Amino acid sequence: MKNNLVKRFKRIYIEITNKCNLSCSFCPKSERTLGSMSLEQFSYVIDTVANYTDYVLLHVKGEPLMHKDLKEILSICAKATLNVNITTNGTLLDKNIETLTAYPVRQISVSLHSIYVNAGIDYNTYLQNIMSAYRILNEKTNTLISLRLWNLDETNANNDQRQRNEYIIKYIENEFNLDYSIRTVLSEGKGHLLTDRTFLNIDYEFQWPNLHNDYCNSNGYCYGLKNQLAILCDGTVVPCCLDGEGIINLGNIFSESLETIISSTRSQNIINGFNSRKSTEDLCNHCSYKSRF
């Protein structure tokens, strides 16, 4: 029976691999050594985080559907009765459909805008494969599907970017036999319900924080370490899913307990700082995403 005790974190990100089969401009290449969690490591992480959350998201950087042991990974999560979310570029959905129906996850988010920044992807084939996988998932599971177009630029959101997405939007209208134009109901940052478990979401492209970017502001709020944290594929624990390079290295879950890591002075300073709407870490100063809160 599942424990009804409210757990500390709303979600924990677990990067099962930082390898990816695409190269997207909106997702900078990781400078870390490319690798994946072993099943033994992942099982240990799940045994640990199950005491802290009911929701795990199997990504930070990388394409999670590339992991060779995905089926076993989802089986481990199912045995731990954890809700699983996956964010994917969608290119490998059809190849993993048997696994995703055998071990259904709570939600799959598909970054459809990936096709516009990778040469050689045939739009029709890409979308057909995703829709084929969607139909199977919709029939055999209760998985929520979020179709994402997170590529708007605030400086030209009314022009070039919207026109660039028109191909996908028209494809979706035809695929779902909609008798209305999605453009009339779609607004930035909000999901539009296509079916009972399928959403289309359009939003502005966010900038990954970087110590050398132009944005720098210590004011703001973040949920990092408040209701979320992230564990990179090498075991490094960071405050949130946007620290894809492990800059704010709080410790390693494979060499020290998670409780020790989140109770450290550095971790507590981060939490207390955001409680006062101040960031205590240099990377957080260079993160514009906190302005959304």
Side-chain angles (χ1 to χ4, degrees), residues 99-122:
T99 293
L100 293 170
T101 53
Y103 297 97
V105 301
R106 174 186 172 273
Q107 178 171 308
I108 297 175
S109 299
V110 186
S111 298
L112 295 177
H113 45 283
S114 301
I115 67 173
Y116 292 126
V117 290
N118 286 275
I121 294 181
D122 180 79

Side-chain angles (χ1 to χ4, degrees), residues 61 75 77 98 125 142-143 196 219 239 247 256:
K61 287 286 186 74
S75 174
C77 292
E98 289 187 10
T125 301
N142 291 317
T143 298
D196 58 344
N219 296 317
I247 302 299
E256 53 191 315

Side-chain angles (χ1 to χ4, degrees), residues 32 35 48 81 96 110 127 144 147 176 182 201 215 230 245-246 268 273:
R32 295 181 287 129
T48 300
T81 63
N96 287 279
V110 186
L127 292 171
L144 301 171
L147 303 174
F176 287 87
I182 289 177
N201 184 275
Y215 179 90
E245 294 303 303
Q268 293 306 306

Side-chain angles (χ1 to χ4, degrees), residues 115-171:
I115 67 173
Y116 292 126
V117 290
N118 286 275
I121 294 181
D122 180 79
Y123 289 10
N124 268 322
T125 301
Y126 172 81
L127 292 171
Q128 285 170 5
N129 288 342
I130 288 175
M131 288 300 114
S132 175
Y134 155 76
R135 285 190 288 271
I136 295 172
L137 289 168
N138 191 52
E139 177 186 350
K140 296 185 177 182
T141 76
N142 291 317
T143 298
L144 301 171
I145 305 294
S146 174
L147 303 174
R148 291 179 175 178
L149 286 169
W150 286 10
N151 61 348
L152 294 184
D153 184 329
E154 293 190 34
T155 62
N156 65 356
N158 292 318
N159 302 304
D160 298 343
Q161 299 285 37
R162 280 199 172 90
Q163 288 302 313
R164 190 170 67 174
N165 288 335
E166 205 63 30
Y167 182 89
I168 290 179
I169 289 175
K170 290 296 184 184
Y171 190 98

Side-chain angles (χ1 to χ4, degrees), residues 28-257:
K29 282 286 188 183
S30 176
E31 296 181 6
R32 295 181 287 129
T33 301
L34 296 180
S36 303
M37 277 192 189
S38 68
L39 280 181
E40 181 181 14
Q41 289 174 326
F42 183 76
S43 182
Y44 173 79
V45 170
I46 290 299
D47 285 344
T48 300
V49 304
N51 296 314
Y52 291 87
T53 190
D54 290 320
Y55 294 84
V56 293
L57 292 78
L58 302 184
H59 60 273
V60 176
K61 287 286 186 74
E63 170 53 55
L65 299 188
M66 284 185 67
H67 200 293
K68 65 182 183 65
D69 298 317
L70 181 65
K71 182 176 182 179
E72 290 77 8
I73 281 173
L74 295 183
S75 174
I76 290 169
C77 292
K79 289 176 182 176
T81 63
L82 288 170
N83 299 284
V84 178
N85 287 15
I86 290 175
T87 294
T88 173
N89 58 42
T91 58
L92 302 175
L93 270 175
D94 56 333
K95 293 180 174 61
N96 287 279
I97 196 65
E98 289 187 10
T99 293
L100 293 170
T101 53
Y103 297 97
V105 301
R106 174 186 172 273
Q107 178 171 308
I108 297 175
S109 299
V110 186
S111 298
L112 295 177
H113 45 283
S114 301
I115 67 173
Y116 292 126
V117 290
N118 286 275
I121 294 181
D122 180 79
Y123 289 10
N124 268 322
T125 301
Y126 172 81
L127 292 171
Q128 285 170 5
N129 288 342
I130 288 175
M131 288 300 114
S132 175
Y134 155 76
R135 285 190 288 271
I136 295 172
L137 289 168
N138 191 52
E139 177 186 350
K140 296 185 177 182
T141 76
N142 291 317
T143 298
L144 301 171
I145 305 294
S146 174
L147 303 174
R148 291 179 175 178
L149 286 169
W150 286 10
N151 61 348
L152 294 184
D153 184 329
E154 293 190 34
T155 62
N156 65 356
N158 292 318
N159 302 304
D160 298 343
Q161 299 285 37
R162 280 199 172 90
Q163 288 302 313
R164 190 170 67 174
N165 288 335
E166 205 63 30
Y167 182 89
I168 290 179
I169 289 175
K170 290 296 184 184
Y171 190 98
I172 290 173
E173 287 175 349
N174 291 332
E175 182 68 27
F176 287 87
N177 296 313
L178 301 182
D179 59 0
Y180 60 90
S181 169
I182 289 177
R183 283 295 185 199
T184 63
V185 295
L186 201 61
S187 58
E188 289 78 15
K190 295 182 180 180
H192 171 64
L193 187 65
L194 297 169
T195 69
D196 58 344
R197 296 192 303 274
T198 307
F199 295 82
L200 175 64
N201 184 275
I202 190 167
D203 207 344
Y204 296 107
E205 180 180 328
F206 67 86
Q207 182 183 43
W208 286 80
N210 184 294
L211 293 174
H212 306 293
N213 65 24
D214 293 335
Y215 179 90
C216 188
N217 187 352
S218 63
N219 296 317
Y221 184 80
C222 180
Y223 292 107
L225 290 180
K226 294 277 289 183
N227 68 9
Q228 66 166 283
L229 59 80
I231 302 169
L232 305 183
C233 62
D234 64 357
T236 300
V237 178
V238 293
C240 82
C241 62
L242 292 184
D243 187 359
E245 294 303 303
I247 302 299
I248 309 175
N249 185 340
L250 301 175
N252 194 293
I253 197 170
F254 299 136
S255 58
E256 53 191 315
S257 73

